[in-house]
């Protein structure tokens, strides 16, 4: 407690000292010079450039996919403390807090802590973990201050990005080093956010060469258990990083690197064989480090090429399992625009990943270490059928992986823009999700009825040998209703085959006197999902922006009498609603409000809930902002999700406040 009070005193003292300092130019430019969606017209917003749909620049209006862009200014004004909270702005994206350091994030259903049908990238580098097929969100160390935008693609992206981009792709794109000249310090403290500190500095090394250094530290207090009492989900993160950008005669080059240490508290009820149920309080330790390099060269207006190299080392220490993993990624890409009405892009990829996994009494892998290889080739052609009206995109990607062999993932997209007010599109796709390391060859234990006589233990045998697959139909309509109002509608119909499900075998007695219930993971499941997503952007006045979105989702899972479907059709809300209001009260005072509403999650017995966040920001000087944020203000606390995979004790999200300062010099 004394340590926490000390940190707050130091933070408040630093805030006071900084406030008394004279003003300097902001981080490169004053905040007002950054791209502010409130200062852009709706026509300008539709011309925002995205790169994640086709691995090339194209405007949002000309994209035949359900895409939502979260800008840096959107993140700032939302009051989000981390990337998962920022992702709540995108329609069709479920972000459920499992605890203060864990989230279930998915697109269009199938939510888990490690949602296996969602591919997440940082500057085009995959952060998808093959251990559980998902993302360790607590270890994602990208500071919010460095994010230029987050591109969220709802729907399959496997024809471009490869396996596991089944229901969507999230690409977090950071700022160029040139956009970060000068210094920046951001500090915050509050009721649950004990402290957060960011320091960044960028400068010009030589003509057309820039660098940036940054450091981030964050400490989040634990929440409360669903049944009451202090939880064990505290969270500490420390990271340092650098970026170097150079543009010259032979192309542009980018190098970036980061080192990160994460400590995340947890409480679990773990089982083992012979049967034993144990309450484990632990601090999960995650250490990551990566090096990313990319070279791009535009030889002419008709031909460009790029090469990307990435190396990552990852270490995770948990009571359930421990892993050390190193990964090398190589990608080469070319773009040809020499033929009339054709824009062709193709590429090659290779990934090698080797791991060392330590077994525990709860989970045992048959092979404690493995090396896997992934080879890929893709090609896509954008055909202008008629100039400025009809476009047809045809593409496919062929991957070869260690577990399921060759996987072909094609797609076809059609875009029709009859005039400047309408943009309609449709897409047909096939995408696959390959088994994770633990699904491929692992045995897990779960104490089903520890108090029964004899006690019963469920033994999970994981030997998946086929890829989950989806055949997807997507369609959408973007419409400029008024000069001050636009609408974006997306709908979809997905058919899943070879889904992971569970088959129960005959129970049997085993020494020293317990009932063993064998359960096999198989690929016999199937499901159908349908949904509708609507978003509306309205500017009633120049100083006021309203953004509303609604999502409807229906999942029908099929299972036979001797199988269990994993019941992941009931872990996502079927209805959700979001309304954000951004109001400039004056030239230096901003008020933002954000309401979100969700219906019940059946499997976890979580009632529907509504949340309200408020943010008040004061631009004291051109380079100095003070702000206060209140989150989850309508109720003292509420649960949002229950983790099944690693059996964490359920917690509740609490009402919280924090205030901070952002100073650029």
């Amino acid at each position: 407690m004394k340590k926490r009070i000390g940190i707050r005193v130091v933070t408040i003292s630093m805030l006071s000292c900084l406030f008394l300092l004279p003003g300097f130019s902001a981080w490169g430019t004053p905040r007002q010079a950054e791209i502010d969606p409130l200062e852009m017209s709706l026509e300008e917003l539709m011309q925002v450039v995205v790169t994640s749909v086709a691995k090339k620049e194209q405007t949002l209006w000309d994209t035949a996919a359900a895409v939502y862009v979260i800008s840096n200014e959107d993140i700032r004004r939302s009051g989000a403390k981390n990337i998962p909270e920022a992702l709540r702005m995108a329609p069709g994206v479920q972000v459920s807090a499992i605890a203060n350091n864990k989230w279930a994030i998915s697109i269009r259903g199938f939510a888990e802590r490690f949602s296996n049908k969602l591919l997440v990238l940082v500057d085009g580098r995959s952060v998808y973990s093959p251990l559980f097929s998902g993302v360790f969100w607590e270890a994602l160390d990208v500071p919010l201050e460095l994010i230029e935008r987050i591109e969220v693609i709802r729907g399959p992206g496997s024809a471009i990005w490869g396996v596991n981009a089944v229901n969507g792709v999230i690409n977090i794109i950071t700022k160029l080093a040139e956009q970060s000249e000068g210094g920046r310090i951001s500090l915050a403290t509050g009721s649950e956010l004990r402290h957060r500190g960011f320091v960044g500095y960028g400068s010009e090394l030589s003509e057309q060469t820039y660098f940036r250094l940054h450091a981030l530290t964050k400490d989040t207090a634990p929440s409360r258990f669903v049944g009451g009492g202090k939880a064990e989900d505290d969270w500490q993160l420390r990271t340092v990083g650098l970026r170097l950008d150079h543009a010259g005669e032979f192309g542009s080059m980018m190098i970036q690197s980061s080192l990160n240490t994460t400590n995340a508290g947890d409480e679990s009820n773990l089982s083992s064989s012979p049967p034993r149920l144990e309450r484990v309080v632990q601090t999960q330790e995650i250490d990551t480090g990566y090096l990313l390099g990319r070279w791009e060269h535009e030889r002419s207006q008709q031909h460009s090429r790029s090469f990307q190299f990435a190396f990552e080392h990852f270490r995770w220490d948990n009571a359930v399992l421990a892993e050390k993993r190193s990964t090398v990624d190589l990608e080469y890409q070319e773009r040809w625009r020499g033929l009339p009405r054709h824009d062709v892009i193709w590429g090659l990829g290779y990934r090698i990943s080797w791991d060392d996994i330590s077994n525990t009494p709860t989970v045992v892998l048959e092979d404690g270490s493995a090396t896997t290889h992934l080879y890929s080739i893709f090609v896509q052609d954008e055909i202008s059928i008629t100039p400025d009206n009809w476009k047809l995109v045809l593409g496919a990607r062929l991957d070869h992986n260690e577990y399921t062999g060759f996987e072909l993932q094609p797609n076809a997209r059609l875009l029709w823009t009859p005039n400047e007010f309408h943009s309609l599109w449709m897409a047909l796709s096939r995408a696959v999700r390959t088994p994770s390391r633990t699904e491929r060859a692992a045995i897990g234990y779960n104490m089903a009825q520890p108090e029964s006589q004899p006690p019963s233990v469920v033994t999970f045998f994981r030997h998946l040998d086929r890829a989950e697959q989806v055949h997807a139909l997507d369609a959408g309509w973007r419409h400029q209703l008024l000069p001050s109002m636009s609408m974006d509608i997306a709908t979809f119909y997905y058919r899943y085959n070879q889904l992971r499900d569970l088959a129960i075998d005959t129970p049997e007695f085993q020494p020293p006197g317990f009932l063993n219930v064998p359960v096999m993971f198989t690929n016999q499941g199937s499901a159908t999902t349908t949904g509708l997503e609507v978003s509306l952007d309205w500017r009633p006045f120049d100083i006021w922006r309203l953004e509303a979105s609604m999502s409807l989702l229906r999942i029908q899972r099929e299972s036979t009498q001797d199988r269990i479907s994993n019941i992941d059709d009931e872990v996502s809300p079927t209805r959700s609603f979001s309304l954000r209001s951004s109001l400039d009260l004056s030239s230096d005072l901003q008020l933002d409000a954000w309401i979100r509403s969700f219906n019940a999650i059946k499997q976890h017995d979580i009632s529907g809930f509504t949340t309200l966040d408020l943010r008040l920001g004061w631009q004291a000087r051109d380079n100095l902002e003070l702000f206060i944020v209140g989150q989850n203000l309508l109720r003292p606390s509420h649960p949002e999700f229950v983790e099944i995979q690693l059996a964490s004790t359920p917690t509740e999200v609490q009402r919280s406040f924090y205030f901070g300062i952002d100073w650029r010099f």
Side-chain angles (χ1 to χ4, degrees):
M1 183 67 182
K2 291 182 179 180
K3 180 180 179 181
R4 182 176 179 181
I5 294 174
I7 291 174
R8 292 192 177 185
V9 170
V10 171
T11 303
I12 294 172
S13 301
M14 292 179 68
L15 296 178
S16 302
C17 293
L18 289 172
F19 182 70
L20 296 175
L21 290 173
F24 296 88
S25 61
W27 204 20
T29 56
R31 184 191 61 78
Q32 291 88 342
E34 293 186 352
I35 297 177
D36 187 349
L38 197 59
E39 297 176 358
M40 299 174 67
S41 67
L42 295 181
E43 291 86 354
E44 291 173 323
L45 283 176
M46 286 301 175
Q47 298 305 313
V48 168
V49 173
V50 296
T51 59
S52 302
V53 177
K55 285 194 174 181
K56 64 181 181 182
E57 292 186 350
Q58 54 188 156
T59 65
L60 188 61
W61 187 259
D62 293 328
T63 302
V67 184
Y68 189 87
V69 178
I70 303 171
S71 69
N72 181 271
E73 186 71 0
D74 289 332
I75 296 172
R76 186 187 69 84
R77 296 195 64 156
S78 71
K81 304 188 298 295
N82 47 59
I83 291 174
E85 291 181 359
L87 290 174
R88 288 178 168 142
M89 286 182 271
V93 179
Q94 176 187 350
V95 180
S96 298
I98 301 171
N100 274 0
N101 56 24
K102 293 180 285 292
W103 294 266
I105 301 177
S106 67
I107 292 179
R108 296 176 173 176
F110 300 96
E112 299 177 285
R113 176 179 175 183
F114 303 103
S115 296
N116 54 35
K117 298 174 181 60
L118 172 63
L119 183 66
V120 180
L121 311 162
V122 178
D123 289 323
R125 176 182 62 91
S126 174
V127 294
Y128 185 96
S129 169
L131 180 64
F132 293 112
S133 289
V135 176
F136 288 87
W137 292 99
E138 63 270 35
L140 198 56
D141 62 342
V142 184
L144 299 180
E145 292 84 354
L146 299 184
I147 295 175
E148 179 186 340
R149 66 185 186 276
I150 303 176
E151 297 180 3
V152 180
I153 304 171
R154 309 184 310 275
S158 295
I160 286 292
W161 295 105
V163 294
N164 306 322
V166 176
N167 280 13
V169 177
I170 295 174
N171 193 5
I172 301 166
I173 300 172
T174 61
K175 297 178 179 179
L176 300 172
E178 184 180 359
Q179 297 173 287
S180 308
E181 283 194 273
R184 182 172 184 176
I185 296 176
S186 181
L187 303 171
T189 185
S191 60
E192 214 167 49
L193 181 65
R194 288 171 173 165
H195 74 263
R196 181 187 184 277
F198 168 82
V199 178
Y201 179 77
S203 180
E204 181 180 8
L205 288 176
S206 62
E207 186 177 359
Q208 298 182 317
T209 303
Y210 298 84
F211 81 95
R212 176 179 67 219
L213 301 172
H214 74 268
L216 173 69
T217 177
K218 180 164 54 180
D219 186 358
T220 301
S223 60
R224 66 187 299 271
F225 289 125
V226 170
K230 181 181 176 181
E232 301 290 345
D233 56 341
D234 58 311
W235 180 28
Q236 295 83 38
L237 183 145
R238 310 287 184 269
T239 184
V240 294
L242 64 88
R243 173 165 177 155
L244 179 71
D245 288 302
H246 171 76
E249 179 182 355
F250 299 101
S252 61
M253 181 183 66
M254 180 273 290
I255 297 175
Q256 61 176 267
S257 181
S258 176
L259 296 174
N260 166 42
T261 297
T262 302
N263 295 320
D266 194 16
E267 179 187 283
S268 304
N269 292 312
L270 301 182
S271 306
S272 61
S273 180
R276 182 167 58 96
L277 187 64
E278 182 180 2
R279 175 179 175 268
V280 176
V281 178
Q282 62 171 320
T283 298
Q284 304 175 84
E285 297 180 359
I286 304 176
D287 296 324
T288 62
Y290 76 87
L291 174 65
L292 173 66
R294 183 166 57 246
W295 169 76
E296 298 174 307
H297 183 216
E298 187 168 348
R299 300 178 62 182
S300 66
Q301 293 183 349
Q302 288 76 36
H303 183 210
S304 60
R305 56 188 176 179
S306 66
F307 176 76
Q308 179 170 298
F309 163 84
F311 170 78
E312 181 185 43
H313 181 73
F314 180 88
R315 184 187 71 87
W316 180 60
D317 192 358
N318 186 279
V320 173
L321 213 60
E323 180 196 40
K324 295 179 182 178
R325 176 177 296 276
S326 297
T327 303
V328 174
D329 256 319
L330 303 174
E331 293 184 7
Y332 177 77
Q333 180 178 301
E334 286 197 18
R335 182 180 180 186
W336 291 88
R337 288 164 284 180
L339 296 176
R341 298 187 179 182
H342 288 266
D343 188 347
V344 179
I345 184 170
W346 72 276
L348 301 170
Y350 171 68
R351 175 182 302 165
I352 179 172
S353 183
W354 54 97
D355 61 42
D356 183 9
I357 298 176
S358 302
N359 294 328
T360 68
T362 302
V363 179
V364 177
L365 265 70
E366 297 176 356
D367 186 358
S369 61
T371 301
T372 58
H373 305 265
L374 177 67
Y375 306 88
S376 62
I377 180 172
F378 81 92
V379 62
Q380 179 171 281
D381 186 10
E382 181 180 298
I383 307 166
S384 297
I385 301 175
T386 60
D388 302 323
N389 291 118
W390 288 93
K391 290 183 180 179
L392 175 64
V393 180
L394 300 174
R397 179 166 177 139
L398 182 65
D399 288 329
H400 182 274
N401 66 85
E402 299 281 338
Y403 298 155
T404 65
F406 287 100
E407 298 290 352
L408 179 64
Q409 299 168 100
N411 83 339
R413 299 179 183 272
L414 183 65
L415 176 69
W416 179 41
T417 51
N419 53 49
E420 58 183 331
F421 304 107
H422 298 270
S423 176
L424 296 94
W425 61 271
M426 182 176 67
L428 293 170
S429 311
R430 179 186 185 270
V432 303
R433 199 275 295 185
T434 56
S436 68
R437 277 281 277 132
T438 53
E439 289 173 324
R440 179 65 176 175
I443 300 175
Y445 302 97
N446 182 29
M447 184 73 77
Q449 296 179 3
E451 306 300 331
S452 63
Q453 294 296 326
S456 59
V457 172
V458 177
T459 304
F460 293 97
F461 296 92
R462 303 172 179 234
H463 294 281
L464 297 186
D465 57 0
R466 287 186 289 173
E468 297 183 338
Q469 56 181 280
V470 63
H471 294 85
L473 171 63
D474 289 86
W477 175 35
R478 299 183 182 97
H479 179 36
Q480 185 83 36
L481 295 167
L482 300 168
S484 61
M485 183 182 295
S486 68
M487 178 177 62
D488 192 336
I489 299 176
T491 185
F492 59 92
Y493 173 86
Y494 295 169
R495 175 66 182 175
Y496 297 88
N497 295 304
Q498 300 181 179
L499 282 179
R500 181 186 66 189
D501 66 356
L502 307 176
I504 302 176
D505 205 345
T506 304
E508 56 183 12
F509 287 97
Q510 292 186 357
F514 67 94
L515 183 66
N516 182 47
V517 182
V519 175
M520 291 290 298
F521 276 63
T522 70
N523 286 102
Q524 301 298 318
S526 59
T528 300
T529 68
T530 54
L532 175 69
E533 297 151 359
V534 181
S535 58
L536 190 69
D537 195 338
W538 181 34
R539 313 294 180 84
F541 305 102
D542 292 341
I543 60 171
W544 191 19
R545 182 186 187 189
L546 292 172
E547 294 177 273
S549 66
M550 177 195 68
S551 301
L552 303 176
L553 174 67
R554 183 184 182 188
I555 302 180
Q556 292 180 295
R557 187 79 183 240
E558 301 172 10
S559 61
T560 57
Q561 187 174 3
D562 62 338
R563 296 183 182 277
I564 304 174
S565 67
N566 256 12
I567 326 179
D568 48 14
D569 54 332
E570 297 181 348
V571 295
S572 299
T574 58
R575 298 186 305 275
S576 61
F577 174 79
S578 172
L579 175 62
R580 287 193 296 138
S581 169
S582 301
L583 177 63
D584 289 347
L585 298 174
S586 65
S587 60
D588 55 10
L589 197 62
Q590 299 174 336
L591 177 63
D592 295 272
W594 189 3
I595 296 175
R596 302 186 305 277
S597 180
F598 307 87
N599 70 331
I601 297 179
K602 295 180 181 179
Q603 179 175 333
H604 302 319
D605 196 26
I606 293 177
S607 303
F609 60 89
T610 300
T611 68
L612 171 65
D613 296 350
L614 294 175
R615 181 186 187 275
L616 182 65
W618 175 42
Q619 198 69 32
R621 300 183 180 181
D622 285 346
N623 64 333
L624 182 66
E625 183 189 28
L626 306 176
F627 55 88
I628 183 169
V629 178
Q631 295 181 308
N632 305 297
L633 298 178
L634 298 183
R635 298 169 62 179
S637 62
H638 67 273
E640 292 188 0
F641 203 83
V642 176
E643 181 184 11
I644 301 297
Q645 287 179 297
L646 301 184
S648 295
T649 305
T651 65
E652 294 185 337
V653 178
Q654 294 181 282
R655 178 188 294 144
S656 63
F657 303 87
Y658 73 93
F659 69 94
I661 184 172
D662 189 11
W663 177 47
R664 313 183 190 202
F665 55 93

